[in-house]
Amino acid sequence: MPTKKKVEKTPAEGKTAVSSAWNETPTKVTPENISGFQQNIHYQDAVSNIMRQVFPAPPEIWVTNEDGETDEQLTADAKQKFEELHGFDLMRYVTADGYGRGCAVFSPGIEKINGVWELTELRHLPADSFRARPMDTDTRSIIVNDLMPGIIVTPEGESQVWQYDSNTGTFTRITNYLIVKQPGTPSPSGCAYMRPVYPILSLIDFAAKAQTQQINRIGAPVLLLKALDDISTDEYASVEKWGKLYGKRWGKDTFGVIPPGLTTLDTKIRESSTAKEFVEQCVEWIRTYTNPMSDMTQTGNLGSSDTGRMEIWVNFISAEQSLAEGWIEELFDKVLMANGYEGYHTHSQLKRPSIDRAAIKLQYVIAGVQAKSITKQEIRDNMKVRFTAETAKANRDDFYDQWAAGNRRYAKDQSGK
């Protein structure tokens, strides 16, 4: 008689069903996951396009005295210092961080060397390092920018900057800081221009998962097998075992022969384009929001002028460039004043976009000819200036034809009198 072993009570464990992927929800927008949103191709497309326009090349640097005249020696020194500090790279952070988080944070190092004050270092502090609220601060402190909770305003009205180290989980208070934000945004930490875009990016990511699932279903559609009604119990057990094994290996590259006693079922499920259309709509929202000329293109005749749109674009880019230039000019001026250069000013000028107005001005001249309200000398003066542009050169023959026709009409009118 076999020896009985003692068996302890062991209840079964684990869930027999898992949640469907459709129970997932879009990613919540928090300071911690902003960096992930910024890797989205649609975010990069929008911001990178603006960055290329705002920073086409390093800026021109020069220093003027109290009379507005250029000081050659101080200009040479400023250019050298700008290169040593990697000023062009630092300027670009103003736009990138401002769009992504709301402000850019720097820490300038100023020292006195051989009796002369110098800007020895200009350190950029990553915006992502201010994504956490400091724990050892007054709970009544205000967080102005929810994407930069490391910058707070105490109940006494003092601005404090706390940098978070994700490796150690510790906070360090920064007392020597410079915050650059868009004018008109809340002080001290501003407001991210792309803040309304992040929820849309979350929805795009959510819809993209649905598209991926759709692709998988199209590549390997759902396989449903049905046992024929007239098979025996033994045959059913055999085809059921075969179906379970085959189902585990089922995929877009799988081939097999269905054994007798089984047939396939058509689920009648047809894939829709809902997810694709939703993603396209979200992308269009982002492009419209980040395009300063979007309102103009949706207002009928107001958007018919390329020059009008270009003027809006030029003003927009120039404003972004001024923000990137102003803060570094102020730092250089601070050092100049410390060294006794009262009334001196450092200039940092990025290449501004321009508008070719030659074709428009040419039309003004033509209208003047047709109305007989412009003299021959004015025509000559305009031709000397306007025809230097390629657009005006292309219309020169047409100008001559209309000018000659206007003269013939004028002569005819005079002879008729």
Side-chain angles (χ1 to χ4, degrees):
M1 187 174 182
T3 303
K4 294 183 179 181
K5 293 183 179 180
K6 185 178 179 181
V7 179
E8 297 180 356
K9 183 179 179 181
T10 54
E13 299 178 347
K15 296 180 179 180
T16 58
V18 296
S19 298
S20 167
W22 291 105
N23 289 337
E24 294 182 5
T25 57
T27 305
K28 186 178 179 180
V29 179
T30 65
E32 292 78 16
N33 59 28
I34 289 299
S35 296
F37 287 124
Q38 292 175 352
Q39 301 307 311
N40 185 286
I41 188 172
H42 303 298
Y43 179 94
Q44 289 293 322
D45 177 54
V47 176
S48 296
N49 285 339
I50 293 173
M51 293 285 289
R52 284 190 289 267
Q53 298 292 326
V54 175
F55 304 100
E60 291 291 330
I61 304 293
W62 73 99
V63 179
T64 55
N65 58 24
E66 62 272 13
D67 298 323
E69 299 174 348
T70 301
D71 187 302
E72 299 298 339
Q73 183 57 52
L74 291 178
T75 294
D77 294 342
K79 288 182 177 179
Q80 180 180 352
K81 180 59 67 174
F82 186 83
E83 292 293 331
E84 292 176 357
L85 297 173
H86 305 288
F88 186 48
D89 291 338
L90 294 171
M91 293 172 73
R92 293 168 64 87
Y93 284 118
V94 172
T95 301
D97 288 357
Y99 268 66
R101 291 275 184 174
C103 64
V105 185
F106 301 93
S107 183
I110 301 177
E111 298 180 31
K112 196 170 188 178
I113 303 175
N114 297 325
V116 178
W117 288 102
E118 291 188 19
L119 186 61
T120 56
E121 185 179 3
L122 189 49
R123 187 177 302 181
H124 169 254
L125 306 182
D128 189 55
S129 64
F130 302 99
R131 69 178 186 271
R133 178 178 183 136
M135 294 178 289
D136 298 331
T137 57
D138 196 320
T139 56
R140 296 174 299 165
S141 296
I142 298 172
I143 296 176
V144 175
N145 181 349
D146 67 326
L147 301 185
M148 298 282 278
I151 302 177
I152 63 175
V153 179
T154 66
E156 295 74 29
E158 178 191 11
S159 296
Q160 294 184 359
V161 176
W162 293 83
Q163 190 173 34
Y164 175 68
D165 186 343
S166 58
N167 292 327
T168 61
T170 59
F171 291 87
T172 302
R173 183 177 177 183
I174 308 297
T175 56
N176 175 27
Y177 63 86
L178 172 64
I179 299 176
V180 184
K181 65 179 186 66
Q182 279 283 358
T185 57
S187 182
S189 48
C191 178
Y193 182 79
M194 298 296 281
R195 182 64 178 84
V197 173
Y198 291 132
I200 298 177
L201 293 174
S202 177
L203 293 175
I204 289 177
D205 180 63
F206 178 67
K209 292 178 181 178
Q211 287 183 292
T212 302
Q213 293 171 346
Q214 188 178 56
I215 292 172
N216 291 332
R217 287 194 298 270
I218 293 174
V222 176
L223 177 66
L224 289 180
L225 300 175
K226 180 181 183 302
L228 299 180
D229 295 335
D230 56 353
I231 64 174
S232 64
T233 303
D234 293 339
E235 290 176 326
Y236 180 84
S238 175
V239 295
E240 182 184 25
K241 180 180 179 181
W242 181 92
K244 289 181 178 180
L245 292 174
Y246 189 74
K248 293 180 180 180
R249 300 190 297 267
W250 172 246
K252 63 183 181 63
D253 299 320
T254 305
F255 172 78
V257 178
I258 298 177
L262 282 179
T263 185
T264 60
L265 289 179
D266 184 359
T267 58
K268 304 296 184 182
I269 297 176
R270 299 294 179 262
E271 301 293 348
S272 71
S273 59
T274 302
K276 174 177 176 293
E277 292 170 355
F278 181 72
V279 169
E280 290 175 349
Q281 178 62 69
C282 288
V283 172
E284 183 61 27
W285 285 339
I286 295 174
R287 288 177 176 171
T288 300
Y289 177 71
T290 56
N291 179 7
M293 298 179 293
S294 59
D295 288 340
M296 196 172 188
T297 58
Q298 298 174 11
T299 52
N301 293 332
L302 186 60
S304 63
S305 169
D306 289 337
T307 303
R309 289 195 293 270
M310 275 306 300
E311 286 182 348
I312 293 178
W313 181 251
V314 167
N315 292 336
F316 171 77
I317 294 299
S318 298
E320 295 292 334
Q321 291 176 328
S322 296
L323 179 65
E325 297 160 350
W327 69 278
I328 205 165
E329 292 177 352
E330 292 178 2
L331 271 178
F332 275 62
D333 286 351
K334 181 179 180 180
V335 176
L336 285 174
M337 291 185 64
N339 289 317
Y341 291 99
E342 294 285 343
Y344 282 64
H345 178 54
T346 304
H347 302 264
S348 171
Q349 180 75 54
L350 291 161
K351 182 182 178 181
R352 295 292 192 264
S354 59
I355 304 175
D356 183 2
R357 303 177 184 274
I360 294 177
K361 293 179 179 179
L362 176 61
Q363 295 300 320
Y364 293 158
V365 176
I366 293 174
V369 170
Q370 293 174 341
K372 298 186 287 296
S373 61
I374 187 171
T375 66
K376 292 182 179 180
Q377 185 59 46
E378 289 175 323
I379 293 173
R380 294 190 187 98
D381 292 341
N382 275 277
M383 287 173 63
K384 291 177 183 177
V385 178
R386 312 310 174 203
F387 288 141
T388 58
E390 291 298 326
T391 52
K393 289 178 180 178
N395 291 283
R396 180 179 291 179
D397 292 340
D398 181 56
F399 175 81
Y400 279 131
D401 291 341
Q402 295 197 45
W403 183 27
N407 285 339
R408 287 195 296 270
R409 287 194 298 272
Y410 179 73
K412 184 178 179 181
D413 292 341
Q414 293 296 319
S415 62
K417 295 179 179 178

